Amino acid sequence: MSLEVKHLYKSFPSGKNILNGAKFKVEKGSFTFIQGESGAGKTTLFRMLAGLIKPSAGQVWVGGQRLRFDSEYSLMKHRQRLGLVFQDFKLLNHRSVLENISLPLLNVSEKSKLQDRVHKMIDELNLKDAAEQKVSTLSGGQMQRVALARALIHDPDYILADEPTGNLDAKHSEIVIELLHEASQRGKTVMVVSHDNEMIHMFGGEILTLKEGQVENQVYY
Amino acid sequence: MKTKFIINEIYQKLFRHSLQSLIYICVFMTLFLILGFFWMGLSHVDKIYLNWIGNDHSIVEIKKNTSQVEVEKLKDKLTKLLSAKVEIQDSKKNIERLKEKNKNFKILAKDLDIDLSQILPTTLKVSFQSSGNVEKELDSFKKLKEFTRSDARVSQIYLPESHLRSLSNFYRSYKNWGFSFLIWVCFTVVIIHSLLVSHLLTLHKKEMNIYKLLGISPILVQVPYLIYTFLLSLISFLAALSIIILAQIYVKKAQFSIEIDFETKDYLLFFILIQSVSLIISAFITRYYLLELSDE
């Protein structure tokens, strides 16, 4: 399941151009870090790949099919195949950890196998004690782990994570990246927006560097 | 799992926004208080009007050959029948009064040598006492009319027609006002309810966006909102119902001459109206506002 973008442009009503013809392709099972300076267009690219914002021009191809930004149904189906981790987590604060993690399972028809994953994931991410707690009572680090668990629970084909280790200590950062790495080894396409160069070099993979809205280079470590 | 999700969502929405629910109740209470003051103000107007109409009087003209004793009997009968002050105005007095009021008539009568006593017979002046009740007042007029028709001693009756007309008009509009009140309550409730539902729904934009970006079907997300709106409409309907019932009790206690009456079909119509408005708003807001992801 490859992921390809062709000449992506995005300009906002304020007149600011965030993406200026970005293009790249990542193959199925790849583990790609997107890096770049602040304002290079990393988050905009992330949101566009998630089908959350429309490009001003250009195309996004997912698994050999062009993503139709004008079709709500097509976007919904696309999002069901994604696991998303946001910088601001986007969790339901009034719901428990367990409920938040289980949300993507609403889209899955065969839940029995995946139900077991919920508890396994909670264990792996050291969230067992907080499982019944409301998300609003958690620390930033715990929230980030809940967001990651929610992104992985339905075994999506693509995982997009925006700064998934931003609020975590070294130990938990390592766990998170390991989980993402494992997913890529199972054939999932993983793209991570990150500033953490040390971690990038530790795990290896592709590095996509963005500069002024364009892909400056795409290298493999 | 989907059913559990829907039930959980409705529960969360109803009980999470306790502050909004409180505002909801406060608005309705304020509405009721305003209504109460309005009723009190109207009862004041009622009394002023009846005092004014009470100063007027009717004239019962008695046939020329009726003896003084018969006139007295007639006066007693009228006094018993009506809660009114009945005064005998004999022919002489009536002639004097007419002469005083109309000097031309005096001259004319003298010139033509007319026996005014033949033209101006004895009359009874009937002044109604203000009962404070429009219906009773009208009833008295009706009784007087029926009495004068059936009694052979009476030749004619002069009702204060213009005032009677005013009274009837007032009475009629007053009756209609009961219906206007109902329409007013219904529409006020529908408008306030719609604004509140719109406000409450917009509070959920963030979580609606989360559902959307997780790829959860919009229909599945909308169902709890529609049920939530239905329940809010039910609360509004019950609040409106309590306002109407309280107003009915108040009107009955204050002994106003109007009735606030609702038939079952009116309640049903009102319920359908409030539900339809709410569900249209809910569907519109969830589809075009809550599920719309920000482009920025």
Side-chain angles (χ1 to χ4, degrees):
Chain A
M1 295 284 186
S2 63
L3 221 158
E4 188 177 6
V5 303
K6 294 176 180 177
H7 306 288
L8 272 190
Y9 288 86
K10 181 67 188 174
S11 51
F12 287 105
S14 56
K16 199 174 178 188
N17 293 326
I18 302 294
L19 290 178
N20 288 305
K23 55 175 183 173
F24 66 87
K25 185 179 181 182
V26 289
E27 295 299 335
K28 181 190 172 187
S30 62
F31 191 90
T32 312
F33 286 100
I34 303 171
Q35 63 172 24
E37 288 174 2
S38 227
K42 303 186 294 295
T43 299
T44 304
L45 179 68
F46 167 84
R47 288 171 64 80
M48 219 171 269
L49 292 175
L52 303 179
I53 51 172
K54 284 181 190 175
S56 306
Q59 297 166 1
V60 175
W61 289 72
V62 183
Q65 282 187 323
R66 187 179 167 182
L67 186 59
R68 288 174 55 202
F69 284 93
D70 55 345
S71 161
E72 279 296 331
Y73 182 77
S74 165
L75 289 173
M76 184 186 82
K77 286 286 163 197
H78 170 62
R79 288 185 201 119
Q80 286 176 358
R81 291 160 68 197
L82 293 180
L84 296 169
V85 183
F86 292 87
Q87 251 178 335
D88 58 352
F89 321 127
K90 301 224 184 289
L91 297 169
L92 297 174
N93 291 332
H94 59 282
R95 293 298 188 94
S96 72
V97 168
L98 214 72
E99 285 173 322
N100 267 278
I101 295 174
S102 306
L103 268 179
L105 298 183
L106 283 169
N107 298 322
V108 182
S109 49
E110 282 181 26
K111 293 178 187 75
S112 50
K113 287 179 192 170
L114 295 169
Q115 286 285 10
D116 301 334
R117 278 173 63 92
V118 177
H119 295 285
K120 196 181 163 203
M121 193 75 74
I122 282 175
D123 276 348
E124 277 184 78
L125 289 163
N126 288 333
L127 289 166
K128 203 173 181 180
D129 294 339
E132 297 297 334
Q133 276 183 41
K134 280 188 177 180
V135 164
S136 54
T137 62
L138 304 181
S139 68
Q142 284 174 312
M143 283 189 196
Q144 192 132 31
R145 281 178 276 150
V146 174
L148 182 81
R150 189 186 63 184
L152 298 174
I153 198 69
H154 54 306
D155 203 24
D157 294 329
Y158 305 92
I159 297 154
L160 303 174
D162 193 0
E163 301 287 359
T165 56
N167 289 286
L168 301 178
D169 53 38
K171 181 190 157 198
H172 282 115
S173 293
E174 209 168 300
I175 294 171
V176 164
I177 296 297
E178 253 175 24
L179 277 170
L180 291 171
H181 209 257
E182 273 172 28
S184 80
Q185 283 171 343
R186 288 201 310 273
K188 312 295 175 189
T189 309
V190 181
M191 294 191 83
V192 179
V193 176
S194 181
H195 280 106
D196 195 343
N197 281 326
E198 198 181 314
M199 190 177 62
I200 293 170
H201 291 103
M202 192 193 301
F203 285 93
E206 278 181 78
I207 298 177
L208 204 77
T209 309
L210 284 179
K211 193 177 181 184
E212 293 170 357
Q214 288 182 324
V215 178
E216 194 181 45
N217 58 44
Q218 188 173 3
V219 293
Y220 185 82
Y221 267 81
Chain B
M1 188 170 178
K2 281 176 185 166
T3 317
K4 197 182 163 193
F5 168 78
I6 290 170
I7 294 168
N8 215 334
E9 275 294 282
I10 297 163
Y11 174 80
Q12 293 280 348
K13 279 169 187 55
L14 272 178
F15 296 98
R16 218 174 82 213
H17 296 289
S18 49
L19 183 68
Q20 276 74 27
S21 307
L22 202 68
I23 294 168
Y24 207 72
I25 293 161
C26 284
V27 169
F28 275 112
M29 287 309 287
T30 315
L31 186 77
F32 176 66
L33 282 175
I34 293 166
L35 264 175
F37 283 119
F38 193 57
W39 274 111
M40 279 192 268
L42 204 87
S43 76
H44 185 61
V45 172
D46 183 32
K47 275 172 189 148
I48 289 170
Y49 186 82
L50 288 173
N51 282 338
W52 172 71
I53 198 81
N55 289 334
D56 210 53
H57 59 265
S58 304
I59 301 293
V60 176
E61 196 183 286
I62 298 162
K63 282 181 181 167
K64 281 162 217 159
N65 300 328
T66 313
S67 67
Q68 188 63 29
V69 182
E70 284 298 312
V71 173
E72 287 288 345
K73 277 183 184 172
L74 203 62
K75 180 197 165 189
D76 291 344
K77 207 175 171 185
L78 269 176
T79 315
K80 277 178 191 169
L81 183 75
L82 310 161
S83 59
K85 190 185 166 193
V86 184
E87 240 177 283
I88 300 173
Q89 295 173 315
D90 65 31
S91 179
K92 279 180 192 170
K93 271 186 189 173
N94 281 342
I95 293 163
E96 287 307 312
R97 200 179 296 116
L98 195 63
K99 280 178 182 174
E100 268 171 37
K101 279 185 179 175
N102 195 326
K103 282 177 185 171
N104 288 336
F105 185 80
K106 188 183 166 185
I107 296 159
L108 188 73
K110 201 181 175 184
D111 287 352
L112 294 173
D113 196 21
I114 299 166
D115 182 4
L116 287 172
S117 64
Q118 293 297 312
I119 303 168
L120 294 164
T122 300
T123 52
L124 291 174
K125 180 185 173 186
V126 184
S127 306
F128 289 106
Q129 285 155 9
S130 174
S131 61
N133 189 310
V134 184
E135 267 186 4
K136 277 186 185 171
E137 203 85 356
L138 271 178
D139 194 45
S140 301
F141 278 114
K142 273 185 199 165
K143 276 183 186 169
L144 182 64
K145 243 182 172 175
E146 279 164 18
F147 172 76
T148 50
R149 268 185 208 146
S150 61
D151 198 298
R153 291 164 293 191
V154 177
S155 62
Q156 264 195 83
I157 176 174
Y158 299 97
L159 289 175
E161 287 293 342
S162 59
H163 293 152
L164 190 65
R165 208 175 296 119
S166 312
L167 187 65
S168 302
N169 287 344
F170 177 76
Y171 175 74
R172 211 166 21 249
S173 64
Y174 200 38
K175 268 276 187 195
N176 286 343
W177 191 85
F179 181 70
S180 311
F181 157 77
L182 293 176
I183 298 286
W184 180 73
V185 168
C186 296
F187 277 93
T188 312
V189 167
V190 168
I191 290 165
I192 291 176
H193 167 80
S194 309
L195 290 172
L196 283 165
V197 165
S198 313
H199 170 69
L200 288 173
L201 288 180
T202 53
L203 297 174
H204 302 284
K205 186 166 171 66
K206 192 188 161 198
E207 63 190 64
M208 284 291 259
N209 272 343
I210 292 172
Y211 293 135
K212 192 172 183 179
L213 57 87
L214 290 177
I216 295 169
S217 158
I219 295 165
L220 186 62
V221 179
Q222 270 182 315
V223 167
Y225 280 87
L226 292 176
I227 298 171
Y228 170 56
T229 315
F230 175 82
L231 292 174
L232 285 179
S233 308
L234 201 65
I235 294 170
S236 292
F237 177 72
L238 292 174
L241 208 65
S242 61
I243 289 172
I244 292 165
I245 290 167
L246 283 170
Q248 279 173 334
I249 293 166
Y250 184 74
V251 165
K252 209 173 181 184
K253 268 197 167 180
Q255 289 186 319
F256 285 134
S257 50
I258 61 159
E259 284 169 11
I260 294 179
D261 218 1
F262 242 171
E263 286 177 35
T264 316
K265 69 172 170 49
D266 298 327
Y267 283 118
L268 198 68
L269 196 73
F270 176 43
F271 184 68
I272 291 169
L273 179 77
I274 199 162
Q275 284 295 353
S276 317
V277 171
S278 307
L279 292 179
I280 290 167
I281 290 173
S282 176
F284 191 81
I285 289 177
T286 46
R287 174 66 188 85
Y288 295 103
Y289 176 70
L290 296 184
L291 280 170
E292 198 57 39
L293 293 172
S294 170
D295 200 35
E296 287 294 329

